[in-house]
Amino acid sequence: MNTATRSSGIVSRLFPALTEPALRRYLGGQVASVLGSWTQNVTLNLLVYHLSGSAAILALLNFLLYGPQLVVAPIAGSRIRSGNARRVTLFMLTVSLVLTGSLITLSALGVLGVKLILAHALAIGVSSAVEVPARQVLLLTSLRDASLTSNAVAMNTMVYNVGRMVGPTIAGFVYPTLGPGASFAIYALALCFMAACVRSIRLSGAARPSRADSSLRDAVGYVLSDAFSARYLPILACIGLFAASYQTLVPLLADKAFHDAARFTGVFFACAGAGSLSSAVLLSSALGPRASARFIAWAPWSAIAALMVLAITDAAAASMPAFFMLGFSLTFAATSTNATIQRQCPEHVRGGLVGMYGMAYNGTMPFGYLLVGTVSEALGVRHTFAAMAVVLAVGVVCIVAWQRFKE
């Protein structure tokens, strides 16, 4: 008992947000949900490629899955408040379950073709764009101790990154052995578990009701008036466009530069995932808020440096730490920006700001994938990495200079 108590005390000191019962329930469901979501989305990619053999259709699929974050997330988020976040989350989980059930049925009947998959992808993308801000508002308003906001956001990011690393592995095993229907069924079970966890969460008594007239205009007005948001949300959009889109180039780099696509694609993604997970663990810990405040301004520049290394090196031994640093920097910038904004903002604009964060980062990435893929065909892989670094550096400098000029 004493050993268990000491272990619990150490974990609580290292990751203080885990002292919150609501967060533990939420993260339990989130682990299952994220794993299931990545399993389903990767399965859809594999299925579309098997049916079409077209890289263009694959790009369209991923645009439909993630593109709605750009438009839908800020609009939906502006209508989500602490009072309705739990209800909206449960409703969107139900919608996701219906869509997954449809995929299971169509797959079992043998009629799941490319057009039906793309239609479902659009519906899944819209559903996710509404659900993500609802989930985050639910998470933040269920905390009893508001000072743990940064740690809670980082813990949520850590869970997402674990899911991003493990989910594709599950899909890679289940799809060829059991078929796409089994992957969809895994996500359906995960959604049910997440719904049960959400139903068990009770909002903190300290949570205050939002203003009834809160809107996207309120959130935009807050961003324009808040120095931190006005600087780092545009920087995050540049990072989403010109750095996070590196994933499109990884298989090309592995094939053309290192002549072993299968081996080095996995290695490079693993290095980036390890960096991302390391960043999330740091920000989830008791050191997180201090590290975020001290180093957030350097995160874009470390990403730029990593992109430049990838542009000029011919050695795998140099590329692997560069991918690690890139993954670390992207997660550090995104999580620190989101956590700082959520910790400082008034309650009535929180949902809208969650949506604007999703628009700035997740919403720009699909356009970055298309842009980087097109440029790489014209310039080549290494020159594209260099162009990404240069354009991102110019963007960051212009944003900082403009803000200082306005001051």
Side-chain angles (χ1 to χ4, degrees):
M1 178 65 71
N2 290 336
T3 302
T5 302
R6 283 198 300 272
S7 299
S8 176
I10 293 172
V11 171
S12 298
R13 287 195 296 273
L14 289 176
F15 302 103
L18 289 179
T19 58
E20 293 274 351
L23 180 66
R24 294 197 298 270
R25 295 190 189 99
Y26 176 90
L27 290 179
Q30 185 77 335
V31 167
S33 176
V34 171
L35 283 173
S37 176
W38 274 99
T39 300
Q40 174 169 279
N41 288 354
V42 171
T43 296
L44 290 174
N45 274 266
L46 293 171
L47 187 56
V48 163
Y49 189 71
H50 175 74
L51 293 173
S52 70
S54 169
I57 295 180
L58 269 181
L60 176 60
L61 171 69
N62 286 288
F63 181 81
L64 294 174
L65 285 172
Y66 305 111
Q69 288 278 348
L70 185 66
V71 177
V72 178
I75 297 173
S78 67
R79 310 308 302 169
I80 296 169
R81 305 175 298 278
S82 58
N84 66 7
R86 183 170 175 269
R87 186 169 64 253
V88 173
T89 300
L90 287 171
F91 177 77
M92 297 315 300
L93 286 170
T94 303
V95 171
S96 296
L97 187 59
V98 170
L99 291 170
T100 301
S102 175
L103 287 171
I104 293 172
T105 302
L106 294 170
S107 178
L109 294 175
V111 296
L112 187 58
V114 172
K115 291 182 179 179
L116 283 174
I117 292 174
L118 294 177
H120 279 77
L122 177 59
I124 291 169
V126 173
S127 172
S128 177
V130 177
E131 184 183 341
V132 168
R135 283 198 196 193
Q136 191 160 128
V137 172
L138 172 65
L139 167 66
L140 297 175
T141 56
S142 65
L143 295 175
R144 294 176 300 180
D145 184 356
S147 68
L148 298 176
T149 295
S150 296
N151 299 108
V153 171
M155 289 290 291
N156 194 38
T157 302
M158 182 169 64
V159 167
Y160 178 83
N161 281 288
V162 170
R164 186 176 68 175
M165 294 170 67
V166 178
T169 304
I170 296 175
F173 171 76
V174 173
Y175 176 76
T177 56
L178 301 176
S183 296
F184 302 147
I186 289 173
Y187 187 38
L189 292 174
L191 288 169
C192 292
F193 183 70
M194 180 66 187
C197 291
V198 170
R199 288 182 65 86
S200 72
I201 293 175
R202 294 292 178 266
L203 295 182
S204 167
R208 298 184 300 273
S210 306
R211 275 179 14 197
D213 61 345
S214 61
S215 65
L216 182 58
R217 181 178 297 178
D218 295 317
V220 172
Y222 176 82
V223 168
L224 294 176
S225 63
D226 177 62
F228 181 90
S229 302
R231 172 177 294 189
Y232 284 101
L233 279 180
I235 287 176
L236 201 59
C238 289
I239 290 173
L241 274 172
F242 305 119
S245 51
Y246 79 92
Q247 297 178 50
T248 302
L249 300 178
V250 173
L252 298 176
L253 181 70
D255 181 34
K256 297 184 181 302
F258 298 100
H259 312 294
D260 192 341
R263 177 187 174 194
F264 283 103
T265 295
V267 169
F268 292 155
F269 272 125
C271 291
S276 180
L277 184 60
S278 299
S279 177
V281 170
L282 170 64
L283 293 172
S284 302
S285 71
L287 299 174
R290 190 185 312 167
S292 176
R294 183 170 298 181
F295 298 115
I296 185 173
W298 292 100
W301 296 105
S302 59
I304 290 166
L307 291 170
M308 267 302 181
V309 170
L310 293 171
I312 63 177
T313 184
D314 292 322
S319 297
M320 288 189 287
F323 275 112
F324 180 93
M325 179 55 67
L326 186 57
F328 186 97
S329 302
L330 296 181
T331 297
F332 194 97
T335 304
S336 296
T337 299
N338 189 21
T340 302
I341 290 174
Q342 294 303 316
R343 187 177 65 248
Q344 296 176 350
C345 73
E347 171 66 25
H348 73 279
V349 297
R350 173 165 287 157
L353 290 174
V354 170
M356 292 185 70
Y357 162 80
M359 176 186 71
Y361 190 56
N362 298 321
T364 56
M365 273 194 276
F367 294 93
Y369 295 150
L370 296 175
L371 178 62
V372 166
T374 302
V375 172
S376 67
E377 292 183 354
L379 299 182
V381 178
R382 294 200 184 281
H383 288 158
T384 302
F385 274 118
M388 291 163 68
V390 170
V391 174
L392 178 56
V394 171
V396 172
V397 169
C398 289
I399 291 167
V400 173
W402 174 252
Q403 189 178 40
R404 289 180 178 176
F405 174 76
K406 286 176 30 177
E407 293 172 355

mmCIF file of all heavy atoms in Angstrom, residues 359-384:
data_model
loop_
_atom_site.group_PDB
_atom_site.id
_atom_site.type_symbol
_atom_site.label_atom_id
_atom_site.label_comp_id
_atom_site.label_asym_id
_atom_site.label_seq_id
_atom_site.Cartn_x
_atom_site.Cartn_y
_atom_site.Cartn_z
ATOM 1 N N MET A 359 -8.923 25.711 -36.910
ATOM 2 C CA MET A 359 -8.837 26.289 -38.255
ATOM 3 C C MET A 359 -7.389 26.657 -38.590
ATOM 4 O O MET A 359 -6.899 26.368 -39.684
ATOM 5 C CB MET A 359 -9.717 27.533 -38.337
ATOM 6 C CG MET A 359 -9.633 28.276 -39.669
ATOM 7 S SD MET A 359 -10.570 29.831 -39.661
ATOM 8 C CE MET A 359 -9.532 30.819 -38.578
ATOM 9 N N ALA A 360 -6.688 27.269 -37.633
ATOM 10 C CA ALA A 360 -5.334 27.755 -37.895
ATOM 11 C C ALA A 360 -4.351 26.619 -38.118
ATOM 12 O O ALA A 360 -3.446 26.732 -38.957
ATOM 13 C CB ALA A 360 -4.867 28.633 -36.735
ATOM 14 N N TYR A 361 -4.505 25.517 -37.400
ATOM 15 C CA TYR A 361 -3.512 24.440 -37.484
ATOM 16 C C TYR A 361 -4.033 23.255 -38.285
ATOM 17 O O TYR A 361 -3.558 22.971 -39.380
ATOM 18 C CB TYR A 361 -3.112 24.004 -36.074
ATOM 19 C CG TYR A 361 -1.919 23.079 -36.044
ATOM 20 C CD1 TYR A 361 -0.714 23.453 -36.620
ATOM 21 C CD2 TYR A 361 -1.995 21.841 -35.416
ATOM 22 C CE1 TYR A 361 0.390 22.616 -36.588
ATOM 23 C CE2 TYR A 361 -0.896 20.988 -35.376
ATOM 24 C CZ TYR A 361 0.285 21.383 -35.962
ATOM 25 O OH TYR A 361 1.371 20.540 -35.933
ATOM 26 N N ASN A 362 -5.040 22.574 -37.759
ATOM 27 C CA ASN A 362 -5.558 21.380 -38.444
ATOM 28 C C ASN A 362 -6.220 21.734 -39.771
ATOM 29 O O ASN A 362 -6.179 20.950 -40.726
ATOM 30 C CB ASN A 362 -6.552 20.644 -37.540
ATOM 31 C CG ASN A 362 -5.911 20.157 -36.261
ATOM 32 O OD1 ASN A 362 -4.778 19.703 -36.268
ATOM 33 N ND2 ASN A 362 -6.619 20.273 -35.153
ATOM 34 N N GLY A 363 -6.851 22.913 -39.840
ATOM 35 C CA GLY A 363 -7.553 23.292 -41.063
ATOM 36 C C GLY A 363 -6.642 23.674 -42.206
ATOM 37 O O GLY A 363 -7.006 23.529 -43.374
ATOM 38 N N THR A 364 -5.446 24.172 -41.893
ATOM 39 C CA THR A 364 -4.527 24.565 -42.962
ATOM 40 C C THR A 364 -3.705 23.393 -43.486
ATOM 41 O O THR A 364 -3.190 23.446 -44.612
ATOM 42 C CB THR A 364 -3.562 25.667 -42.478
ATOM 43 O OG1 THR A 364 -2.869 25.197 -41.302
ATOM 44 C CG2 THR A 364 -4.317 26.952 -42.139
ATOM 45 N N MET A 365 -3.565 22.352 -42.692
ATOM 46 C CA MET A 365 -2.705 21.236 -43.106
ATOM 47 C C MET A 365 -3.142 20.562 -44.404
ATOM 48 O O MET A 365 -2.288 20.254 -45.248
ATOM 49 C CB MET A 365 -2.587 20.216 -41.974
ATOM 50 C CG MET A 365 -1.478 20.537 -40.997
ATOM 51 S SD MET A 365 -1.066 19.166 -39.906
ATOM 52 C CE MET A 365 -2.299 19.371 -38.642
ATOM 53 N N PRO A 366 -4.459 20.316 -44.627
ATOM 54 C CA PRO A 366 -4.827 19.695 -45.913
ATOM 55 C C PRO A 366 -4.404 20.531 -47.116
ATOM 56 O O PRO A 366 -3.995 19.981 -48.147
ATOM 57 C CB PRO A 366 -6.357 19.587 -45.820
ATOM 58 C CG PRO A 366 -6.648 19.533 -44.355
ATOM 59 C CD PRO A 366 -5.621 20.429 -43.735
ATOM 60 N N PHE A 367 -4.481 21.853 -46.998
ATOM 61 C CA PHE A 367 -4.015 22.706 -48.095
ATOM 62 C C PHE A 367 -2.491 22.628 -48.225
ATOM 63 O O PHE A 367 -1.949 22.679 -49.329
ATOM 64 C CB PHE A 367 -4.455 24.147 -47.850
ATOM 65 C CG PHE A 367 -5.941 24.336 -47.905
ATOM 66 C CD1 PHE A 367 -6.710 24.273 -46.753
ATOM 67 C CD2 PHE A 367 -6.586 24.554 -49.110
ATOM 68 C CE1 PHE A 367 -8.088 24.437 -46.799
ATOM 69 C CE2 PHE A 367 -7.958 24.718 -49.171
ATOM 70 C CZ PHE A 367 -8.706 24.655 -48.018
ATOM 71 N N GLY A 368 -1.817 22.497 -47.076
ATOM 72 C CA GLY A 368 -0.374 22.320 -47.111
ATOM 73 C C GLY A 368 0.031 21.040 -47.810
ATOM 74 O O GLY A 368 1.005 21.019 -48.577
ATOM 75 N N TYR A 369 -0.730 19.951 -47.565
ATOM 76 C CA TYR A 369 -0.440 18.684 -48.245
ATOM 77 C C TYR A 369 -0.515 18.856 -49.766
ATOM 78 O O TYR A 369 0.374 18.409 -50.499
ATOM 79 C CB TYR A 369 -1.439 17.608 -47.821
ATOM 80 C CG TYR A 369 -1.379 17.217 -46.369
ATOM 81 C CD1 TYR A 369 -2.517 16.779 -45.701
ATOM 82 C CD2 TYR A 369 -0.182 17.274 -45.650
ATOM 83 C CE1 TYR A 369 -2.476 16.410 -44.364
ATOM 84 C CE2 TYR A 369 -0.137 16.916 -44.316
ATOM 85 C CZ TYR A 369 -1.288 16.483 -43.676
ATOM 86 O OH TYR A 369 -1.247 16.127 -42.362
ATOM 87 N N LEU A 370 -1.589 19.506 -50.228
ATOM 88 C CA LEU A 370 -1.756 19.710 -51.668
ATOM 89 C C LEU A 370 -0.663 20.609 -52.227
ATOM 90 O O LEU A 370 -0.092 20.344 -53.292
ATOM 91 C CB LEU A 370 -3.135 20.313 -51.952
ATOM 92 C CG LEU A 370 -4.360 19.450 -51.592
ATOM 93 C CD1 LEU A 370 -5.645 20.234 -51.813
ATOM 94 C CD2 LEU A 370 -4.374 18.173 -52.419
ATOM 95 N N LEU A 371 -0.357 21.681 -51.495
ATOM 96 C CA LEU A 371 0.651 22.636 -51.956
ATOM 97 C C LEU A 371 2.034 21.997 -52.032
ATOM 98 O O LEU A 371 2.744 22.102 -53.047
ATOM 99 C CB LEU A 371 0.680 23.845 -51.023
ATOM 100 C CG LEU A 371 1.718 24.933 -51.313
ATOM 101 C CD1 LEU A 371 1.461 25.556 -52.671
ATOM 102 C CD2 LEU A 371 1.701 25.990 -50.217
ATOM 103 N N VAL A 372 2.417 21.306 -50.957
ATOM 104 C CA VAL A 372 3.744 20.699 -50.902
ATOM 105 C C VAL A 372 3.876 19.588 -51.944
ATOM 106 O O VAL A 372 4.923 19.446 -52.596
ATOM 107 C CB VAL A 372 4.018 20.160 -49.481
ATOM 108 C CG1 VAL A 372 5.224 19.227 -49.470
ATOM 109 C CG2 VAL A 372 4.247 21.321 -48.526
ATOM 110 N N GLY A 373 2.817 18.802 -52.114
ATOM 111 C CA GLY A 373 2.858 17.755 -53.126
ATOM 112 C C GLY A 373 3.047 18.303 -54.525
ATOM 113 O O GLY A 373 3.813 17.760 -55.334
ATOM 114 N N THR A 374 2.371 19.419 -54.820
ATOM 115 C CA THR A 374 2.498 20.041 -56.142
ATOM 116 C C THR A 374 3.894 20.629 -56.354
ATOM 117 O O THR A 374 4.518 20.445 -57.403
ATOM 118 C CB THR A 374 1.447 21.151 -56.305
ATOM 119 O OG1 THR A 374 0.142 20.589 -56.135
ATOM 120 C CG2 THR A 374 1.542 21.787 -57.679
ATOM 121 N N VAL A 375 4.397 21.328 -55.330
ATOM 122 C CA VAL A 375 5.712 21.960 -55.446
ATOM 123 C C VAL A 375 6.811 20.914 -55.584
ATOM 124 O O VAL A 375 7.777 21.102 -56.338
ATOM 125 C CB VAL A 375 5.971 22.869 -54.224
ATOM 126 C CG1 VAL A 375 7.417 23.382 -54.213
ATOM 127 C CG2 VAL A 375 5.002 24.043 -54.227
ATOM 128 N N SER A 376 6.676 19.790 -54.866
ATOM 129 C CA SER A 376 7.726 18.771 -54.914
ATOM 130 C C SER A 376 7.873 18.167 -56.308
ATOM 131 O O SER A 376 8.969 17.745 -56.698
ATOM 132 C CB SER A 376 7.439 17.661 -53.895
ATOM 133 O OG SER A 376 6.279 16.937 -54.247
ATOM 134 N N GLU A 377 6.769 18.119 -57.063
ATOM 135 C CA GLU A 377 6.864 17.606 -58.429
ATOM 136 C C GLU A 377 7.675 18.537 -59.330
ATOM 137 O O GLU A 377 8.320 18.089 -60.281
ATOM 138 C CB GLU A 377 5.455 17.407 -59.007
ATOM 139 C CG GLU A 377 4.670 16.291 -58.334
ATOM 140 C CD GLU A 377 3.318 16.070 -58.983
ATOM 141 O OE1 GLU A 377 2.961 16.869 -59.885
ATOM 142 O OE2 GLU A 377 2.622 15.123 -58.597
ATOM 143 N N ALA A 378 7.637 19.821 -59.006
ATOM 144 C CA ALA A 378 8.363 20.794 -59.826
ATOM 145 C C ALA A 378 9.800 21.002 -59.352
ATOM 146 O O ALA A 378 10.716 21.141 -60.173
ATOM 147 C CB ALA A 378 7.617 22.124 -59.812
ATOM 148 N N LEU A 379 10.010 21.019 -58.029
ATOM 149 C CA LEU A 379 11.320 21.366 -57.492
ATOM 150 C C LEU A 379 12.134 20.173 -57.020
ATOM 151 O O LEU A 379 13.355 20.285 -56.868
ATOM 152 C CB LEU A 379 11.154 22.345 -56.315
ATOM 153 C CG LEU A 379 10.496 23.689 -56.598
ATOM 154 C CD1 LEU A 379 10.468 24.537 -55.331
ATOM 155 C CD2 LEU A 379 11.208 24.426 -57.713
ATOM 156 N N GLY A 380 11.481 19.058 -56.726
ATOM 157 C CA GLY A 380 12.174 17.946 -56.097
ATOM 158 C C GLY A 380 12.021 18.001 -54.589
ATOM 159 O O GLY A 380 11.661 19.044 -54.017
ATOM 160 N N VAL A 381 12.329 16.896 -53.926
ATOM 161 C CA VAL A 381 12.048 16.778 -52.494
ATOM 162 C C VAL A 381 12.912 17.724 -51.668
ATOM 163 O O VAL A 381 12.399 18.492 -50.835
ATOM 164 C CB VAL A 381 12.271 15.322 -52.022
ATOM 165 C CG1 VAL A 381 12.028 15.208 -50.521
ATOM 166 C CG2 VAL A 381 11.353 14.377 -52.757
ATOM 167 N N ARG A 382 14.211 17.716 -51.869
ATOM 168 C CA ARG A 382 15.097 18.514 -51.014
ATOM 169 C C ARG A 382 14.874 20.018 -51.207
ATOM 170 O O ARG A 382 14.860 20.787 -50.233
ATOM 171 C CB ARG A 382 16.553 18.162 -51.298
ATOM 172 C CG ARG A 382 16.902 16.735 -50.897
ATOM 173 C CD ARG A 382 18.403 16.586 -50.740
ATOM 174 N NE ARG A 382 18.763 15.210 -50.438
ATOM 175 C CZ ARG A 382 18.661 14.661 -49.223
ATOM 176 N NH1 ARG A 382 18.204 15.391 -48.216
ATOM 177 N NH2 ARG A 382 19.016 13.405 -49.013
ATOM 178 N N HIS A 383 14.690 20.447 -52.437
ATOM 179 C CA HIS A 383 14.417 21.861 -52.677
ATOM 180 C C HIS A 383 13.076 22.278 -52.080
ATOM 181 O O HIS A 383 12.911 23.433 -51.662
ATOM 182 C CB HIS A 383 14.442 22.152 -54.180
ATOM 183 C CG HIS A 383 15.813 22.109 -54.764
ATOM 184 N ND1 HIS A 383 16.060 21.890 -56.112
ATOM 185 C CD2 HIS A 383 17.044 22.238 -54.200
ATOM 186 C CE1 HIS A 383 17.358 21.904 -56.336
ATOM 187 N NE2 HIS A 383 17.972 22.114 -55.194
ATOM 188 N N THR A 384 12.127 21.335 -52.008
ATOM 189 C CA THR A 384 10.839 21.657 -51.386
ATOM 190 C C THR A 384 11.005 21.862 -49.889
ATOM 191 O O THR A 384 10.417 22.779 -49.307
ATOM 192 C CB THR A 384 9.823 20.541 -51.667
ATOM 193 O OG1 THR A 384 9.672 20.382 -53.076
ATOM 194 C CG2 THR A 384 8.464 20.883 -51.058
#
